[in-house]
Amino acid sequence: MIPSRRADGPSPALATALRLTISALGASLAVLGGVMAVIAGRLARRVVTPAVRQADTVLLGLDTNAQTVTLSRTPDTRLPGRYGLFTSGSASYLKVGTVLSETDTAVTRKLLTHIAPDAHLSPQAAFSGWYFDQPEQLHLAYSSEAISTPVGECPAWLFPPEPDSAAQDVWVIHIHGRGTTRAEALRAVPVFHDLGITNLLVSYRNDGEAPSSRHGTYTLGATEWRDVDAAIAFARERGARRIVLMGWSMGGAVALQLALTSAHRESITALILDSPAIDWGVVLRHQAGLHRLPRPLVGLTLGALGSRWARPVRGGGEPIPFDRLDVIARAGELRHPMLILHSEDDGFVPADASHELARARPDLVALESFRTARHTKLWNFDEKRWSAAISSWLSSVLDDPARASGS
């Protein structure tokens, strides 16, 4: 008689097959997990490594008779306004103006920098919101300064106000963003100069002008603020009594850390933030979405950035203290009036966190929301509106002792 097979369990052959399948699946998951960890480490390294300017535009044509330039069509190159173009060859930097025509693939703009008939330019270029790239182009008196910081002497530009200015004790300290230099903030100098305010454009560790830190990596504002804090001390020694912090992109994160941490908080009168990185989690998730990266990879990347164990894969440096950088969670600690200028179409740093901070602290935060303009290109897109928003808001703050004192 043949014994019947048990109905409450798999046959030995099936059990063996299941064990082999589970083992193979486990090995595959382990390999996948290892690959994801390596990719997360590389992404983390990219986040904290000082960026080198990358060509993002193709120069398709140059008409030296009409003084026009034709560029590949991108969301940036087709924007209205005045911009800069990093090139190589006969010129390293060009100013471009009005869009004259465009097709599905190309945009022709007016050249605002004269190009000689025999000029030759590389087809690879980088479109920029800087516009001014040298302080002399503002036609204002300035001096080059060196600020003593924890990492060494950091270069700065100082634009004094007119001698008869009634705001001699007010200084604005401009804090540039990730992967750029203090030249990024040159376009903001005139609006503050017109208000009679001293402008100080600073550099900070690892930005290519200031000294490097020991590991040469960014901490997304967690340590960079110390160099700008030294700039506040420098300004106070020169007679500043009221400090305005103007932060661009990651410079906004630096400014917020100063507002929360600086020993000179009592001297800070106001913050003005252009396209600020307020929540790095939002920024990294947005960037991952643009590159169609899986969501779990973002979590792994944030973990690699914030953990000591991941130091070798992210290129050294201290862990990023995301809890300390989370200004939304720390909104209750803020005490200085703040103007945020941000575009809903930023394309790099979403405006979500700016809206969230404005909702969390409507008593302190004013949000000037733009459309169409791209990341840190609000001045370029609508200089008149951008300048008027800053001038009007800051004048009201400086004229109100209660707001200026953060009470």
Side-chain angles (χ1 to χ4, degrees):
M1 181 176 180
I2 300 174
S4 61
R5 180 177 297 167
R6 291 182 57 183
D8 60 347
S11 67
L14 179 59
T16 299
L18 285 173
R19 284 196 299 272
L20 290 173
T21 300
I22 292 171
S23 177
L25 180 60
S28 297
L29 289 174
V31 171
L32 179 61
V35 171
M36 291 278 281
V38 170
I39 295 174
R42 289 178 178 174
L43 289 174
R45 179 174 295 197
R46 184 178 299 179
V47 170
V48 299
T49 300
V52 178
R53 184 177 293 106
Q54 298 289 332
D56 57 9
T57 304
V58 180
L59 199 156
L60 301 173
L62 181 66
D63 187 333
T64 57
N65 291 321
Q67 290 294 296
T68 63
V69 62
T70 300
L71 308 171
S72 55
R73 187 177 186 264
T74 71
D76 286 315
T77 60
R78 64 189 303 265
L79 288 170
R82 299 184 295 163
Y83 300 87
L85 191 70
F86 287 94
T87 64
S88 59
S90 301
S92 60
Y93 189 75
L94 305 174
K95 294 183 176 69
V96 298
T98 307
V99 172
L100 301 174
S101 65
E102 64 177 295
T103 68
D104 290 343
T105 58
V107 177
T108 298
R109 308 187 71 113
K110 183 65 179 175
L111 273 170
L112 301 180
T113 300
H114 181 78
I115 297 297
D118 59 347
H120 173 74
L121 300 176
S122 167
Q124 300 301 313
F127 198 77
S128 170
W130 281 24
Y131 194 67
F132 303 106
D133 70 319
Q134 297 295 329
E136 295 86 356
Q137 296 168 5
L138 295 179
H139 303 291
L140 295 172
Y142 80 96
S143 60
S144 294
E145 306 290 342
I147 296 174
S148 297
T149 77
V151 295
E153 298 289 303
C154 290
W157 289 318
L158 174 63
F159 291 83
E162 299 299 330
D164 59 350
S165 167
Q168 296 283 345
D169 68 329
V170 183
W171 285 45
V172 58
I173 296 179
H174 299 266
I175 312 166
H176 67 78
R178 178 183 179 275
T180 68
T181 66
R182 56 193 157 139
E184 176 181 41
L186 282 169
R187 60 198 136 149
V189 169
V191 66
F192 295 102
H193 188 269
D194 289 346
L195 293 173
I197 295 173
T198 300
N199 285 268
L200 183 64
L201 284 65
V202 302
S203 56
Y204 53 76
R205 62 190 68 190
N206 305 315
D207 69 0
E209 292 189 333
S212 296
S213 61
R214 185 159 64 96
H215 296 286
T217 54
Y218 288 135
T219 57
L220 307 183
T223 56
E224 291 84 358
W225 71 269
R226 298 183 184 279
D227 303 330
V228 186
D229 201 35
I232 296 178
F234 172 92
R236 284 172 53 84
E237 291 170 2
R238 298 289 188 94
R241 294 296 173 264
R242 293 179 288 175
I243 304 290
V244 178
L245 300 175
M246 171 83 201
W248 303 73
S249 191
M250 190 180 92
V254 175
L256 287 165
Q257 289 304 298
L258 284 159
L260 291 167
T261 310
S262 171
H264 303 294
R265 288 191 303 277
E266 297 297 332
S267 298
I268 298 174
T269 292
L271 280 72
I272 301 174
L273 311 179
D274 187 308
S275 314
I278 291 174
D279 185 330
W280 286 107
V282 169
V283 176
L284 294 175
R285 289 184 181 91
H286 176 73
Q287 290 297 311
L290 291 178
H291 293 88
R292 299 185 179 182
L293 298 176
R295 285 182 176 271
L297 190 58
V298 180
L300 284 172
T301 302
L302 290 170
L305 286 167
S307 304
R308 291 189 178 278
W309 62 263
R311 180 181 291 176
V313 295
R314 69 167 179 266
E318 292 301 312
I320 307 297
F322 286 107
D323 55 340
R324 187 147 50 87
L325 293 173
D326 187 350
V327 179
I328 304 298
R330 301 180 66 187
E333 300 175 45
L334 296 171
R335 55 197 256 193
H336 303 98
M338 185 184 313
L339 173 65
I340 299 176
L341 305 107
H342 214 142
S343 175
E344 303 303 321
D345 301 302
D346 182 289
F348 189 81
V349 175
D352 304 48
S354 291
H355 283 281
E356 193 171 349
L357 187 59
R359 287 192 295 268
R361 293 303 304 267
D363 55 323
L364 290 181
V365 180
L367 176 60
E368 186 79 11
S369 184
F370 286 68
R371 293 278 181 184
T372 306
R374 304 282 288 174
H375 186 60
T376 66
K377 296 180 176 70
L378 311 182
W379 176 95
N380 311 78
F381 174 73
D382 194 340
E383 179 187 355
K384 185 176 180 180
R385 178 187 168 193
W386 187 91
S387 298
I390 290 177
S391 181
S392 174
W393 180 84
L394 185 55
S395 294
S396 68
V397 170
L398 295 177
D399 291 341
D400 185 342
R403 291 184 70 192
S405 65
S407 60

mmCIF file of all heavy atoms in Angstrom, residues 179-213:
data_model
loop_
_atom_site.group_PDB
_atom_site.id
_atom_site.type_symbol
_atom_site.label_atom_id
_atom_site.label_comp_id
_atom_site.label_asym_id
_atom_site.label_seq_id
_atom_site.Cartn_x
_atom_site.Cartn_y
_atom_site.Cartn_z
ATOM 1 N N GLY A 179 28.354 76.092 -4.315
ATOM 2 C CA GLY A 179 28.983 75.998 -5.620
ATOM 3 C C GLY A 179 29.189 77.328 -6.319
ATOM 4 O O GLY A 179 29.504 77.346 -7.511
ATOM 5 N N THR A 180 29.024 78.436 -5.611
ATOM 6 C CA THR A 180 29.255 79.750 -6.204
ATOM 7 C C THR A 180 30.224 80.528 -5.319
ATOM 8 O O THR A 180 30.777 79.994 -4.361
ATOM 9 C CB THR A 180 27.950 80.545 -6.371
ATOM 10 O OG1 THR A 180 27.437 80.907 -5.074
ATOM 11 C CG2 THR A 180 26.894 79.734 -7.096
ATOM 12 N N THR A 181 30.415 81.800 -5.633
ATOM 13 C CA THR A 181 31.282 82.668 -4.836
ATOM 14 C C THR A 181 30.546 83.971 -4.541
ATOM 15 O O THR A 181 29.408 84.174 -4.983
ATOM 16 C CB THR A 181 32.596 82.984 -5.577
ATOM 17 O OG1 THR A 181 32.290 83.780 -6.734
ATOM 18 C CG2 THR A 181 33.313 81.705 -6.011
ATOM 19 N N ARG A 182 31.217 84.862 -3.839
ATOM 20 C CA ARG A 182 30.588 86.132 -3.428
ATOM 21 C C ARG A 182 30.132 86.974 -4.605
ATOM 22 O O ARG A 182 29.254 87.823 -4.473
ATOM 23 C CB ARG A 182 31.570 86.931 -2.562
ATOM 24 C CG ARG A 182 32.899 87.184 -3.239
ATOM 25 C CD ARG A 182 33.979 87.683 -2.280
ATOM 26 N NE ARG A 182 35.288 87.390 -2.833
ATOM 27 C CZ ARG A 182 36.319 88.211 -2.793
ATOM 28 N NH1 ARG A 182 36.207 89.409 -2.232
ATOM 29 N NH2 ARG A 182 37.469 87.862 -3.303
ATOM 30 N N ALA A 183 30.683 86.737 -5.814
ATOM 31 C CA ALA A 183 30.249 87.497 -6.990
ATOM 32 C C ALA A 183 28.768 87.285 -7.279
ATOM 33 O O ALA A 183 28.129 88.138 -7.901
ATOM 34 C CB ALA A 183 31.081 87.107 -8.208
ATOM 35 N N GLU A 184 28.216 86.181 -6.820
ATOM 36 C CA GLU A 184 26.784 85.919 -7.017
ATOM 37 C C GLU A 184 25.934 87.064 -6.466
ATOM 38 O O GLU A 184 24.868 87.378 -7.010
ATOM 39 C CB GLU A 184 26.396 84.611 -6.319
ATOM 40 C CG GLU A 184 24.907 84.299 -6.396
ATOM 41 C CD GLU A 184 24.531 83.011 -5.689
ATOM 42 O OE1 GLU A 184 25.073 82.751 -4.585
ATOM 43 O OE2 GLU A 184 23.701 82.263 -6.220
ATOM 44 N N ALA A 185 26.399 87.682 -5.377
ATOM 45 C CA ALA A 185 25.595 88.688 -4.684
ATOM 46 C C ALA A 185 25.824 90.114 -5.181
ATOM 47 O O ALA A 185 25.178 91.036 -4.695
ATOM 48 C CB ALA A 185 25.885 88.618 -3.183
ATOM 49 N N LEU A 186 26.705 90.308 -6.154
ATOM 50 C CA LEU A 186 26.990 91.670 -6.612
ATOM 51 C C LEU A 186 25.737 92.389 -7.105
ATOM 52 O O LEU A 186 25.573 93.597 -6.900
ATOM 53 C CB LEU A 186 28.037 91.643 -7.725
ATOM 54 C CG LEU A 186 29.485 91.440 -7.285
ATOM 55 C CD1 LEU A 186 30.380 91.169 -8.498
ATOM 56 C CD2 LEU A 186 29.998 92.646 -6.504
ATOM 57 N N ARG A 187 24.821 91.657 -7.745
ATOM 58 C CA ARG A 187 23.625 92.308 -8.291
ATOM 59 C C ARG A 187 22.719 92.873 -7.203
ATOM 60 O O ARG A 187 21.849 93.711 -7.474
ATOM 61 C CB ARG A 187 22.851 91.305 -9.154
ATOM 62 C CG ARG A 187 22.387 90.081 -8.401
ATOM 63 C CD ARG A 187 22.013 88.921 -9.334
ATOM 64 N NE ARG A 187 22.553 87.694 -8.804
ATOM 65 C CZ ARG A 187 21.971 86.511 -8.965
ATOM 66 N NH1 ARG A 187 20.855 86.399 -9.667
ATOM 67 N NH2 ARG A 187 22.516 85.430 -8.452
ATOM 68 N N ALA A 188 22.895 92.424 -5.952
ATOM 69 C CA ALA A 188 22.055 92.918 -4.856
ATOM 70 C C ALA A 188 22.604 94.185 -4.218
ATOM 71 O O ALA A 188 21.898 94.863 -3.475
ATOM 72 C CB ALA A 188 21.905 91.838 -3.787
ATOM 73 N N VAL A 189 23.865 94.513 -4.496
ATOM 74 C CA VAL A 189 24.494 95.656 -3.830
ATOM 75 C C VAL A 189 23.750 96.974 -4.071
ATOM 76 O O VAL A 189 23.511 97.743 -3.125
ATOM 77 C CB VAL A 189 25.982 95.775 -4.240
ATOM 78 C CG1 VAL A 189 26.578 97.103 -3.782
ATOM 79 C CG2 VAL A 189 26.782 94.603 -3.668
ATOM 80 N N PRO A 190 23.356 97.304 -5.310
ATOM 81 C CA PRO A 190 22.746 98.619 -5.545
ATOM 82 C C PRO A 190 21.500 98.912 -4.718
ATOM 83 O O PRO A 190 21.324 100.050 -4.257
ATOM 84 C CB PRO A 190 22.424 98.584 -7.045
ATOM 85 C CG PRO A 190 23.456 97.665 -7.614
ATOM 86 C CD PRO A 190 23.614 96.597 -6.580
ATOM 87 N N VAL A 191 20.619 97.935 -4.516
ATOM 88 C CA VAL A 191 19.391 98.222 -3.777
ATOM 89 C C VAL A 191 19.699 98.617 -2.337
ATOM 90 O O VAL A 191 19.062 99.505 -1.766
ATOM 91 C CB VAL A 191 18.411 97.024 -3.839
ATOM 92 C CG1 VAL A 191 18.944 95.808 -3.114
ATOM 93 C CG2 VAL A 191 17.061 97.423 -3.262
ATOM 94 N N PHE A 192 20.702 97.987 -1.729
ATOM 95 C CA PHE A 192 21.075 98.333 -0.361
ATOM 96 C C PHE A 192 21.879 99.632 -0.328
ATOM 97 O O PHE A 192 21.735 100.434 0.596
ATOM 98 C CB PHE A 192 21.865 97.187 0.271
ATOM 99 C CG PHE A 192 21.066 95.934 0.451
ATOM 100 C CD1 PHE A 192 21.212 94.868 -0.433
ATOM 101 C CD2 PHE A 192 20.167 95.802 1.487
ATOM 102 C CE1 PHE A 192 20.474 93.710 -0.288
ATOM 103 C CE2 PHE A 192 19.411 94.638 1.655
ATOM 104 C CZ PHE A 192 19.571 93.593 0.760
ATOM 105 N N HIS A 193 22.713 99.826 -1.337
ATOM 106 C CA HIS A 193 23.485 101.070 -1.417
ATOM 107 C C HIS A 193 22.551 102.269 -1.528
ATOM 108 O O HIS A 193 22.784 103.330 -0.923
ATOM 109 C CB HIS A 193 24.438 101.025 -2.610
ATOM 110 C CG HIS A 193 25.406 102.159 -2.663
ATOM 111 N ND1 HIS A 193 25.141 103.338 -3.325
ATOM 112 C CD2 HIS A 193 26.637 102.316 -2.113
ATOM 113 C CE1 HIS A 193 26.158 104.155 -3.204
ATOM 114 N NE2 HIS A 193 27.087 103.561 -2.471
ATOM 115 N N ASP A 194 21.474 102.111 -2.281
ATOM 116 C CA ASP A 194 20.501 103.199 -2.414
ATOM 117 C C ASP A 194 19.811 103.508 -1.094
ATOM 118 O O ASP A 194 19.308 104.628 -0.904
ATOM 119 C CB ASP A 194 19.447 102.839 -3.468
ATOM 120 C CG ASP A 194 20.004 102.868 -4.890
ATOM 121 O OD1 ASP A 194 21.109 103.420 -5.079
ATOM 122 O OD2 ASP A 194 19.344 102.327 -5.798
ATOM 123 N N LEU A 195 19.775 102.552 -0.184
ATOM 124 C CA LEU A 195 19.197 102.776 1.140
ATOM 125 C C LEU A 195 20.225 103.329 2.123
ATOM 126 O O LEU A 195 19.909 103.546 3.293
ATOM 127 C CB LEU A 195 18.619 101.468 1.690
ATOM 128 C CG LEU A 195 17.394 100.891 0.958
ATOM 129 C CD1 LEU A 195 17.052 99.508 1.506
ATOM 130 C CD2 LEU A 195 16.197 101.826 1.084
ATOM 131 N N GLY A 196 21.457 103.552 1.644
ATOM 132 C CA GLY A 196 22.501 104.100 2.501
ATOM 133 C C GLY A 196 23.143 103.076 3.406
ATOM 134 O O GLY A 196 23.721 103.425 4.443
ATOM 135 N N ILE A 197 23.083 101.787 3.023
ATOM 136 C CA ILE A 197 23.563 100.688 3.856
ATOM 137 C C ILE A 197 24.914 100.192 3.349
ATOM 138 O O ILE A 197 25.148 100.116 2.141
ATOM 139 C CB ILE A 197 22.532 99.535 3.847
ATOM 140 C CG1 ILE A 197 21.228 100.001 4.510
ATOM 141 C CG2 ILE A 197 23.073 98.290 4.534
ATOM 142 C CD1 ILE A 197 20.104 98.993 4.410
ATOM 143 N N THR A 198 25.802 99.845 4.274
ATOM 144 C CA THR A 198 27.091 99.250 3.927
ATOM 145 C C THR A 198 26.889 97.814 3.471
ATOM 146 O O THR A 198 26.163 97.036 4.106
ATOM 147 C CB THR A 198 28.033 99.266 5.142
ATOM 148 O OG1 THR A 198 28.229 100.617 5.567
ATOM 149 C CG2 THR A 198 29.375 98.638 4.808
ATOM 150 N N ASN A 199 27.525 97.430 2.372
ATOM 151 C CA ASN A 199 27.443 96.070 1.837
ATOM 152 C C ASN A 199 28.755 95.325 2.093
ATOM 153 O O ASN A 199 29.826 95.826 1.751
ATOM 154 C CB ASN A 199 27.211 96.107 0.324
ATOM 155 C CG ASN A 199 25.795 96.479 -0.063
ATOM 156 O OD1 ASN A 199 24.946 95.616 -0.247
ATOM 157 N ND2 ASN A 199 25.529 97.778 -0.193
ATOM 158 N N LEU A 200 28.664 94.140 2.656
ATOM 159 C CA LEU A 200 29.826 93.279 2.857
ATOM 160 C C LEU A 200 29.535 91.930 2.218
ATOM 161 O O LEU A 200 28.617 91.218 2.636
ATOM 162 C CB LEU A 200 30.117 93.102 4.346
ATOM 163 C CG LEU A 200 31.360 92.273 4.710
ATOM 164 C CD1 LEU A 200 32.631 92.968 4.225
ATOM 165 C CD2 LEU A 200 31.429 92.036 6.225
ATOM 166 N N LEU A 201 30.287 91.594 1.166
ATOM 167 C CA LEU A 201 30.120 90.326 0.448
ATOM 168 C C LEU A 201 31.230 89.390 0.889
ATOM 169 O O LEU A 201 32.412 89.667 0.671
ATOM 170 C CB LEU A 201 30.184 90.539 -1.064
ATOM 171 C CG LEU A 201 28.952 91.150 -1.746
ATOM 172 C CD1 LEU A 201 28.702 92.584 -1.282
ATOM 173 C CD2 LEU A 201 29.100 91.125 -3.260
ATOM 174 N N VAL A 202 30.852 88.277 1.509
ATOM 175 C CA VAL A 202 31.834 87.426 2.173
ATOM 176 C C VAL A 202 32.036 86.108 1.449
ATOM 177 O O VAL A 202 31.226 85.687 0.618
ATOM 178 C CB VAL A 202 31.417 87.151 3.633
ATOM 179 C CG1 VAL A 202 31.255 88.452 4.396
ATOM 180 C CG2 VAL A 202 30.122 86.332 3.693
ATOM 181 N N SER A 203 33.133 85.454 1.782
ATOM 182 C CA SER A 203 33.389 84.084 1.344
ATOM 183 C C SER A 203 33.401 83.207 2.597
ATOM 184 O O SER A 203 33.483 83.706 3.719
ATOM 185 C CB SER A 203 34.734 84.000 0.611
ATOM 186 O OG SER A 203 35.783 84.491 1.427
ATOM 187 N N TYR A 204 33.304 81.901 2.381
ATOM 188 C CA TYR A 204 33.351 80.979 3.522
ATOM 189 C C TYR A 204 34.001 79.672 3.092
ATOM 190 O O TYR A 204 34.188 79.397 1.900
ATOM 191 C CB TYR A 204 31.963 80.741 4.121
ATOM 192 C CG TYR A 204 30.899 80.293 3.153
ATOM 193 C CD1 TYR A 204 30.845 78.989 2.671
ATOM 194 C CD2 TYR A 204 29.909 81.188 2.714
ATOM 195 C CE1 TYR A 204 29.855 78.570 1.799
ATOM 196 C CE2 TYR A 204 28.912 80.788 1.839
ATOM 197 C CZ TYR A 204 28.883 79.481 1.392
ATOM 198 O OH TYR A 204 27.903 79.073 0.514
ATOM 199 N N ARG A 205 34.369 78.875 4.061
ATOM 200 C CA ARG A 205 35.162 77.658 3.850
ATOM 201 C C ARG A 205 34.690 76.822 2.659
ATOM 202 O O ARG A 205 33.493 76.655 2.435
ATOM 203 C CB ARG A 205 35.151 76.798 5.118
ATOM 204 C CG ARG A 205 33.786 76.301 5.538
ATOM 205 C CD ARG A 205 33.820 75.661 6.928
ATOM 206 N NE ARG A 205 34.085 76.652 7.970
ATOM 207 C CZ ARG A 205 34.357 76.341 9.235
ATOM 208 N NH1 ARG A 205 34.419 75.079 9.621
ATOM 209 N NH2 ARG A 205 34.605 77.293 10.120
ATOM 210 N N ASN A 206 35.661 76.371 1.887
ATOM 211 C CA ASN A 206 35.454 75.431 0.772
ATOM 212 C C ASN A 206 34.743 76.022 -0.436
ATOM 213 O O ASN A 206 34.294 75.271 -1.309
ATOM 214 C CB ASN A 206 34.674 74.185 1.260
ATOM 215 C CG ASN A 206 35.331 73.517 2.439
ATOM 216 O OD1 ASN A 206 36.544 73.318 2.460
ATOM 217 N ND2 ASN A 206 34.536 73.188 3.456
ATOM 218 N N ASP A 207 34.634 77.354 -0.534
ATOM 219 C CA ASP A 207 33.926 77.931 -1.683
ATOM 220 C C ASP A 207 34.850 78.270 -2.849
ATOM 221 O O ASP A 207 34.424 78.836 -3.848
ATOM 222 C CB ASP A 207 33.115 79.165 -1.270
ATOM 223 C CG ASP A 207 33.974 80.367 -0.876
ATOM 224 O OD1 ASP A 207 35.223 80.274 -0.911
ATOM 225 O OD2 ASP A 207 33.393 81.422 -0.552
ATOM 226 N N GLY A 208 36.138 77.925 -2.724
ATOM 227 C CA GLY A 208 37.079 78.178 -3.808
ATOM 228 C C GLY A 208 37.845 79.473 -3.666
ATOM 229 O O GLY A 208 38.852 79.685 -4.352
ATOM 230 N N GLU A 209 37.384 80.369 -2.798
ATOM 231 C CA GLU A 209 38.092 81.619 -2.521
ATOM 232 C C GLU A 209 38.609 81.638 -1.089
ATOM 233 O O GLU A 209 39.725 82.085 -0.832
ATOM 234 C CB GLU A 209 37.164 82.812 -2.749
ATOM 235 C CG GLU A 209 36.783 83.030 -4.199
ATOM 236 C CD GLU A 209 36.035 84.337 -4.417
ATOM 237 O OE1 GLU A 209 35.375 84.818 -3.476
ATOM 238 O OE2 GLU A 209 36.129 84.878 -5.524
ATOM 239 N N ALA A 210 37.805 81.173 -0.170
ATOM 240 C CA ALA A 210 38.214 81.077 1.237
ATOM 241 C C ALA A 210 39.038 79.805 1.438
ATOM 242 O O ALA A 210 39.034 78.909 0.586
ATOM 243 C CB ALA A 210 36.976 81.065 2.130
ATOM 244 N N PRO A 211 39.746 79.700 2.561
ATOM 245 C CA PRO A 211 40.494 78.469 2.834
ATOM 246 C C PRO A 211 39.559 77.265 2.944
ATOM 247 O O PRO A 211 38.362 77.407 3.229
ATOM 248 C CB PRO A 211 41.173 78.763 4.175
ATOM 249 C CG PRO A 211 41.212 80.254 4.272
ATOM 250 C CD PRO A 211 39.976 80.737 3.587
ATOM 251 N N SER A 212 40.107 76.087 2.736
ATOM 252 C CA SER A 212 39.333 74.856 2.883
ATOM 253 C C SER A 212 39.327 74.408 4.339
ATOM 254 O O SER A 212 40.247 74.717 5.105
ATOM 255 C CB SER A 212 39.924 73.743 2.016
ATOM 256 O OG SER A 212 39.845 74.071 0.646
ATOM 257 N N SER A 213 38.297 73.685 4.706
ATOM 258 C CA SER A 213 38.279 73.030 6.008
ATOM 259 C C SER A 213 39.164 71.781 5.928
ATOM 260 O O SER A 213 39.694 71.444 4.864
ATOM 261 C CB SER A 213 36.843 72.639 6.384
ATOM 262 O OG SER A 213 36.332 71.725 5.434
#
